[in-house]
């Protein structure tokens, strides 16, 4: 790979603080960093000796940031198709409780390949099922991300509240509190890299208020802060979760999590569909982030999150695919359009623009993951995680606004996807692994897991 690469002639949406866009602009990458962005051709001194890429007919954006996923669920798509969350979980827990590190790696590689082909350069994953004797599952996720070539924000999740204690998961699918905490610390110490250009970071992530004890939530928060890593869980996803928290704890999910030290600028929650005005204000005051997962919320009939109100209040919001068994497409790029359309259904046609959708998919997600100094916008000094969308084909030619081609039209094919300046997707195809091999491995692992049930 040439050290310096120059994209020229593209419509460039930088997603910087001013929302700067260039109709026929350039982006210059040197090694793994962006060194210049602007109108017209790149300066002559930057073009000299560089690989020049004619990007006319494309839209260039930051690489998309996925803030919530369950990669292992790529092996269990199509189950419980008409269920709400609690029924869906009850149907799938017995299957997931037979997962192991090899199966997770196969499923994660397939899921991350699809994420990359939909413009995603940073993958946030929430894995919380660790059967006894299942091997190094977090290591399997790390290996899969390295193979595909994307950045990974993995979480070491956990469940310790089985059905016999009033929780939702079956007892055989949970760990003890002490074991979960010890394993979380080990995962951070082994895999977490806090450096600027890190490709692997680890957060600590007990699953949800209905699958985790108060002790685990409280101690996980203490542990994460001692290790200087972030915290993640599900919160306020469904009305059933609200009812569970009111019945069991006598308070809302927000108040319950707040009482355990779980609001702060080092925390992000998945979903937040059922936040009322006081909860939104509390999230904003503490800097607590949210992963918005519109397709999964629709698939499980959870509702539409109040993203417009959250953004107005100053809550950090990113975009997420969520578990592949509740969003079988697995593509992050299409979630931009879903977010735009669903939030307009909730708050009106002028309440959520295509640029709002692109913003939460890029710099919003980077902020939620604590990486907005490195990722999420096209600015000199940031990492060269870049999506180059082809918008001159029959699906998009003639759309007035190139950003609307992405945010309202069909998902455009990728001419290039760079992670740290390196090719991950070229001309719509994965450049780092053979897609038929990945597909065969996924089919085999899915069948293997099903046979264990």
């Amino acid at each position: 790979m040439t050290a310096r690469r120059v994209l020229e002639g593209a419509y460039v949406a930088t997603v910087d603080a001013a929302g700067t866009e260039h109709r026929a602009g350039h982006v210059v990458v040197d090694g793994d960093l962006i060194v210049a962005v602007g109108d017209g051709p790149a300066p002559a001194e930057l073009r000299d000796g560089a690989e020049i890429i004619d990007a006319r007919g494309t839209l260039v954006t930051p690489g998309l940031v996925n803030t919530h996923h369950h990669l292992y669920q790529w092996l269990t798509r199509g189950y419980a198709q008409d269920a709400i969350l609690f029924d869906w979980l009850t149907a799938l827990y017995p299957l997931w409780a037979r997962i192991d590190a090899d199966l997770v790696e196969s499923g994660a590689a397939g899921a991350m390949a699809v994420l990359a082909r939909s413009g995603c350069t940073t993958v946030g994953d929430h894995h919380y099922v660790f059967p006894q004797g299942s091997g190094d599952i977090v290591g399997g996720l790390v290996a899969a991300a390295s193979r595909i070539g994307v950045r990974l924000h993995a979480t070491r999740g956990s469940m310790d509240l089985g059905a016999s204690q009033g929780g939702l998961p079956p007892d055989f699918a949970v760990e003890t509190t002490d074991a979960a905490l010890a394993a979380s610390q080990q995962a951070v110490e082994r895999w977490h890299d806090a450096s600027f250009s890190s490709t692997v970071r680890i957060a600590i992530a007990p699953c949800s208020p209905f699958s985790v004890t108060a002790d685990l939530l409280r101690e996980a928060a203490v542990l994460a802060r001692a290790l200087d890593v972030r915290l993640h869980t599900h919160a306020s996803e469904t009305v059933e979760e609200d009812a569970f928290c009111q019945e069991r704890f006598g308070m809302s999910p927000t108040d319950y999590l707040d009482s355990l030290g779980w609001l702060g600028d080092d925390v992000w929650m998945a979903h937040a569909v059922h936040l009322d005005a006081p909860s939104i204000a509390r999230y904003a005051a503490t800097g607590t982030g949210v992963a918005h997962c519109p397709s999964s919320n629709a698939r499980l009939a959870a509702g539409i999150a109040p993203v417009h109100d959250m953004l107005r209040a100053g809550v950090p919001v990113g975009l997420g695919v969520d578990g592949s068994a509740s969003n079988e497409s697995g593509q992050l790029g299409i979630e931009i359009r879903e977010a735009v359309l669903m939030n307009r259904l909730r708050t009106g046609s002028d309440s959520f623009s295509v640029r709002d959708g692109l913003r939460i998919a890029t710099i919003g997600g980077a902020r939620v993951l604590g990486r907005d100094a490195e990722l999420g916008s096209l600015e000199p000094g940031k990492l060269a995680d870049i999506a180059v969308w082809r918008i001159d084909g029959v699906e998009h030619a003639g759309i007035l606004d190139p950003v609307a081609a992405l945010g309202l039209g069909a998902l455009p094919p990728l001419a290039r996807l760079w992670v740290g300046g390196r090719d991950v997707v070229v001309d719509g195809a994965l450049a780092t692994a053979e897609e038929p091999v990945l597909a065969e491995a996924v089919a085999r692992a899915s069948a293997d897991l099903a046979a264990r049930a």
Side-chain angles (χ1 to χ4, degrees):
M1 184 183 73
T2 304
R4 188 177 304 141
R5 312 177 90 180
V6 179
L7 292 164
E8 287 188 337
Y11 190 101
V12 179
T14 69
V15 202
D16 64 8
T20 306
E21 298 180 9
H22 306 290
R23 298 203 66 84
H26 65 268
V27 179
V28 182
V29 169
D30 201 337
D32 67 345
L33 295 177
I34 298 169
V35 296
V37 182
D39 274 321
E45 64 272 18
L46 295 178
R47 298 177 94 257
D48 187 31
E51 176 189 0
I52 308 299
I53 299 170
D54 183 353
R56 287 176 295 178
T58 71
L59 165 70
V60 177
T61 71
L64 308 186
V65 177
N66 183 20
T67 57
H68 184 67
H69 208 115
H70 306 294
L71 294 169
Y72 74 96
Q73 292 180 16
W74 197 248
L75 302 180
T76 58
R77 291 176 294 162
Y79 289 74
Q81 295 176 26
D82 304 314
I84 63 171
L85 176 66
F86 279 18
D87 295 339
W88 174 85
L89 287 169
T90 301
L92 282 162
Y93 275 139
L95 196 57
W96 295 337
R98 288 161 175 78
I99 205 89
D100 62 29
D102 289 340
L103 294 179
V104 168
E105 184 175 343
S106 294
M112 284 190 270
V114 171
L115 283 165
R117 290 183 61 218
S118 72
C120 178
T121 51
T122 298
V123 177
D125 184 58
H126 186 185
H127 192 100
Y128 52 83
V129 184
F130 291 87
Q132 190 170 12
S134 55
D136 185 6
I137 285 176
V138 176
L141 293 169
V142 172
S146 177
R147 181 180 180 189
I148 303 303
V150 293
R151 298 188 198 279
L152 177 65
H153 276 245
T155 68
R156 206 301 177 174
S158 52
M159 300 187 295
D160 71 337
L161 187 67
S164 65
Q165 298 174 279
L168 196 64
D171 288 347
F172 62 80
V174 304
E175 301 173 278
T176 67
T177 305
D178 288 345
L181 291 168
S184 297
Q185 180 169 348
Q186 290 166 6
V188 172
E189 291 174 345
R190 180 173 184 185
W191 298 112
H192 182 66
D193 175 6
S195 69
F196 182 88
S197 59
S198 169
T199 58
V200 179
R201 290 195 181 173
I202 306 294
I204 293 177
C207 183
S208 65
F210 51 83
S211 61
V212 184
T213 63
D215 286 344
L216 180 52
L217 283 166
R218 186 184 302 108
E219 293 306 314
V222 172
L223 176 62
R225 287 165 181 143
L227 296 172
D228 196 23
V229 296
R230 300 178 81 77
L231 285 161
H232 182 48
T233 193
H234 296 88
S236 300
E237 184 175 359
T238 66
V239 293
E240 290 81 15
E241 180 189 334
D242 275 5
F244 179 94
C245 289
Q246 288 291 348
E247 179 180 347
R248 189 173 180 93
F249 312 119
M251 61 185 88
S252 70
T254 299
D255 290 340
Y256 174 61
L257 290 166
D258 198 4
S259 74
L260 298 171
W262 265 81
L263 296 185
D265 61 6
D266 56 351
V267 181
W268 84 104
M269 310 293 191
H271 305 299
V273 173
H274 296 281
L275 290 189
D276 57 15
S279 294
I280 291 173
R282 186 68 183 133
Y283 273 44
T286 56
T288 304
V290 169
H292 177 43
C293 305
S295 290
S296 175
N297 295 156
R299 206 272 207 191
L300 298 171
I304 303 170
V307 176
H308 172 73
D309 295 339
M310 286 192 271
L311 292 173
R312 286 186 62 186
V315 176
V317 179
L319 198 60
V321 170
D322 197 19
S324 306
S326 63
N327 180 358
E328 278 80 356
S329 89
Q331 300 175 79
L332 185 58
I334 66 172
E335 296 302 310
I336 299 173
R337 184 174 188 268
E338 296 301 309
V340 170
L341 298 183
M342 291 190 192
N343 284 286
R344 290 181 178 194
L345 281 175
R346 181 178 175 116
T347 49
S349 63
D350 61 350
S351 67
F352 200 86
S353 71
V354 292
R355 285 164 177 80
D356 291 330
L358 178 59
R359 181 164 288 275
I360 67 170
T362 53
I363 193 66
R367 182 184 175 196
V368 163
L369 296 181
R371 297 200 71 174
D372 47 323
E374 306 127 71
L375 307 170
S377 61
L378 302 178
E379 299 180 80
K382 286 199 168 185
L383 292 166
D385 291 9
I386 300 172
V388 184
W389 309 91
R390 176 63 61 189
I391 56 170
D392 57 356
V394 66
E395 300 94 336
H396 305 94
I399 293 181
L400 178 64
D401 174 8
V403 180
L406 173 61
L408 291 177
L411 184 67
L414 286 167
R416 301 280 180 119
L417 185 76
W418 291 344
V419 178
R422 296 183 177 275
D423 287 323
V424 173
V425 177
V426 176
D427 294 332
L430 197 66
T432 53
E434 295 183 21
E435 293 177 27
V437 173
L438 294 173
E440 182 181 354
V442 166
R444 186 168 55 250
S446 181
D448 184 359
L449 182 59
R452 299 181 184 186

